[in-house]
Amino acid sequence: MKRPTIADVARRAGVSKGAVSYALNGQPGVSEATRRRILAIAEEIGFSPSSAARALSGATAAAVGLALCRPARILGIEPFFMELISGVEAELSARSYALTLQVVADQDAEIAVYRRWWGERRVDGVLVCDLRVDDRRVPVLEDLRLPAVVIGGPGHTGTLPSVWCDDAAALVEAVEYLVALGHRRIARVGGLPDLLHTRKRTEAFERVCRELGLVDAVTVPSDYTGEEGSRATRRLLSSPGRPTAVIYDNDVMAVAGLAVAQEMGLAVPGDLSIVAWDDSPLCRLVHPPLTALGRDIPAYGAHAARNLLAAIAGEPVGAFQDETAHLTPRGSTAPPRSGERVR
């Protein structure tokens, strides 16, 4: 958990601490080649000369960082992240910690933020979202020895602790519910395909549909936005042998899909049943209200923050499995019309 120091830079560069000080402060006393090498090493390990005073004092930042690689315009309408952050804030504020939030453009920018935060003593630890397979952020955080908790999994987190829930089990519950109603043509509008939880949902969907003999099951990738959700829905509902039920990977896309179905003259749930992931007020405000997979997202965020504070304190922290999302049936699902019950 040790933060990078001027001694770490000197050791890696094979020079004295005085030489590092000259290089970082632009003073004569080192060659230009040595200066460039020292600056590159300082950037690599996240050391900043402006953090020297705080490093010497051993003071903590009393802050936790969260960098999100999502467009700000999407975050503004995404209930999941707002609820997650509310849970994180509730846990942190009770311990007199602050949350430092930054929106980044890509993983390279996110990694640079981690290096800067840790090098400048801006945060004492970070929460990591949107885990990917072979995620480049994991080894970087391990190398920096920056306390971190991954919100996602299981697996692919290296030595980092995580908080995760069983998305596969929740998806199986939704598919089995639709099949019990009589649906045989079921589609799914998925999230970003490179995210680990999207991949796990896709694998679970394909597996349960294969086991239940649903030969026409299909997943269409999307990006969680209403616009992409609408486009995916139009494509599905315009295809031959259109589905009689669609599962959406978030509530925003499900609401958009409901609007498209109604625009195309299809009755919900008479002609099309809809299931949303991550139950939210959006699901209950539309007509008909949406059947949804729901869980306590603020509690999910609170558990992640609590485990991160434990890691910052030097306590042993491992993987924590949170509650699985469960289905709440509402007015958007029903048996398909008799003519649509293809066996």
Side-chain angles (χ1 to χ4, degrees), residues 13-80:
V15 299
S16 68
K17 289 189 286 186
V20 173
S21 179
Y22 291 149
L24 294 176
N25 291 294
Q27 296 176 348
V30 294
S31 69
E32 188 56 35
T34 299
R35 187 189 311 279
R36 286 197 298 269
R37 187 170 81 255
I38 290 171
L39 291 175
I41 291 170
E43 180 179 1
E44 178 188 343
I45 69 173
F47 178 78
S48 170
S50 64
S51 64
R54 254 184 292 177
L56 289 172
S57 70
T60 62
V64 162
L66 175 61
L68 294 176
C69 187
R70 297 283 185 95
R73 63 180 179 82
I74 294 177
L75 291 175
I77 60 169
E78 176 62 82
F80 172 81

Side-chain angles (χ1 to χ4, degrees), residues 8 10 28 34 37 48 55 78 86 130 165 168 178 180 214 222 234 254 272 294 297 335:
D8 294 326
T34 299
R37 187 170 81 255
S48 170
E78 176 62 82
S86 73
D130 288 341
C165 63
L178 292 170
L214 307 181
S222 189
R234 283 194 187 90
L272 179 71
I297 297 172

